[in-house]
Structures are given as structure tokens and as C-alpha cells.
Amino acid sequence: MSDLHLRLFTLQKAMGIKKKEKIAELLNVSRTMLYNYEQGDPPPPRELLLTLDRLEREAGVEQSFTSSLKEDTPAYGNFRSIGVTGWAHAGEAESYEEIPEHWKGKIPTECRDPKAFAVILEGDSMEPKYSEGDLLVVQPTEQAHSGCLVVAKFVNDGVIFRRFEITGKIVTLVPLNPRYQASQHSLEDFAWIYPVWGRWTQVWRK
């Protein structure tokens, strides 16, 4: 996923827009052309990026949330750059190195896990504390323990974000939103379970 894709996704959520066609209209390009820009072929023109900057400001999107560090950008302090993938692809990427380039955005983080990557949260099962559009930084080389938050990939299908509890080989996944029920599983039900190191969150929401 490209940086532009990440910025458009964030703007769409901030503006409460359900269809990408409306974002394309605001940027004065066709939906097909916007898709091409997201893929980097051709690169987005300066005029489009300036319009996107303006829309982000008007929507209250903090540009630090959508900005990225390039590979050749020096780190400041303990920050480094990690990859970001959408929720739909989260289960297919088991580390930063395994995220295909066309899925990637980039964010800076202090997480030192060498395989760390971030996923864009979808759904409301962890509200009110964690909301759709938040970026969750996961740690593939760390072991999950009871009480921590995890992103977990089921063997058969699906990715889930929950509070993790374990007794023996029985895993309980607990949502924070009371409209959802806790569920119990065997450890064998999961392809992986990664602790969440932290998050980036969008402050302004309509």
C-alpha cells in the first residue's frame, strides 16, 4: 500500500465519505487515474498533492499521522520507519519484509522489533478506546501474554484485534465494546498472535 493510499484512506474516514469516487472528485481526477496515482504509475502530480494537503487541513487530519519516512531518511532519536498494510491484507503479512511494496505505507515508530509492521484497524469492536482508522504497531518477535492487546490471524480465515487472555492452551479474546462477546479458542486455531506495541490515532473525528 502506497503512502498516497494511506493518506486517502485516512482522509476518507475523517470526512465520513464512503466511496473513493467522491475523493477523486474533490481532487479533480477520475477514479481510474486516482488508482493509477496510488500505484505510483504515474506518480501523483504536485497539484494533486497540494489539493490533498488542503483537504487534510480542512478535515482536521494531522499530517504527521499520514506522513511517512523514506528509506533514505535518517532516523531521529530512536525512531525508524516501518511498513503499514491495510486490514484486509494484515493476515497475509507476517513481518515487515513480507509486505509487498504495493501494499506499503510508512510510519515512524520507536518500536525496536526488527519485524514490526503496522495495520490499519477496521471495525468498532474495540471502541471507545480504539477506533477504525487507528494504526496498530505489532511485534512479530514478541510473545503475547495475558492482559496484553494482540492482532491475531486465524488458521482458516480472518484477522482480529482483541485483549488476550490465556489459560493453558485456551485463549480468550475480549473486545472492549460491550456490544461484542468474548470468544474462546485453542492455540492451534491461530496462524499467529502478535502483541500490539502501540498505535497511531487520528485525533479529529466527525
Side-chain angles (χ1 to χ4, degrees):
M1 182 182 61
S2 68
D3 291 347
L4 180 60
H5 182 96
L6 177 59
R7 292 181 68 180
L8 294 174
F9 176 89
T10 305
L11 179 63
Q12 188 174 341
K13 294 298 181 184
M15 297 182 72
I17 295 174
K18 296 186 180 298
K19 293 186 177 182
K20 186 67 74 67
E21 285 79 2
K22 180 61 177 178
I23 293 291
E25 181 182 329
L26 292 172
L27 292 170
N28 198 31
V29 296
S30 68
R31 178 65 186 90
T32 299
M33 201 64 215
L34 187 59
Y35 174 82
N36 292 338
Y37 291 146
E38 288 181 90
Q39 304 306 307
D41 184 20
R46 182 173 181 274
E47 292 76 11
L48 182 142
L49 295 177
L50 289 173
T51 302
L52 179 56
D53 287 343
R54 176 179 58 78
L55 291 173
E56 287 172 335
R57 289 194 300 271
E58 291 174 355
V61 175
E62 293 190 22
Q63 293 183 324
S64 61
F65 174 82
T66 59
S67 67
S68 63
L69 292 180
K70 296 180 180 179
E71 293 293 344
D72 57 354
T73 301
Y76 293 89
N78 293 321
F79 284 88
R80 65 191 181 92
S81 180
I82 64 170
V84 179
T85 186
W87 194 252
H89 288 140
E92 300 176 50
E94 297 191 12
S95 71
Y96 169 24
E97 292 83 1
E98 294 182 6
I99 302 175
E101 284 298 328
H102 63 283
W103 293 358
K104 285 184 184 177
K106 298 280 186 181
I107 61 166
T109 182
E110 291 182 286
C111 179
R112 302 317 301 169
D113 188 321
K115 293 184 176 293
F117 64 96
V119 296
I120 303 172
L121 178 62
E122 291 185 4
D124 62 353
S125 63
M126 295 295 278
E127 287 189 343
K129 191 169 184 180
Y130 303 93
S131 300
E132 187 167 47
D134 286 353
L135 293 181
L136 307 175
V137 178
V138 298
Q139 306 177 94
T141 65
E142 294 291 333
Q143 184 72 37
H145 58 78
S146 287
C148 73
L149 297 172
V150 301
V151 173
K153 166 70 168 65
F154 289 104
V155 171
N156 293 331
D157 189 30
V159 179
I160 195 168
F161 173 46
R162 291 288 190 272
R163 192 177 81 236
F164 176 82
E165 303 288 346
I166 185 166
T167 304
K169 289 189 175 183
I170 301 300
V171 172
T172 303
L173 298 178
V174 184
L176 300 184
N177 188 330
R179 295 198 298 109
Y180 293 81
Q181 299 292 319
S183 58
Q184 288 193 332
H185 312 269
S186 167
L187 273 177
E188 287 73 23
D189 293 336
F190 299 96
W192 50 255
I193 301 172
Y194 295 157
V196 174
W197 177 84
R199 66 165 170 174
W200 284 54
T201 190
Q202 178 185 324
V203 176
W204 174 262
R205 299 182 191 278
K206 291 188 176 181

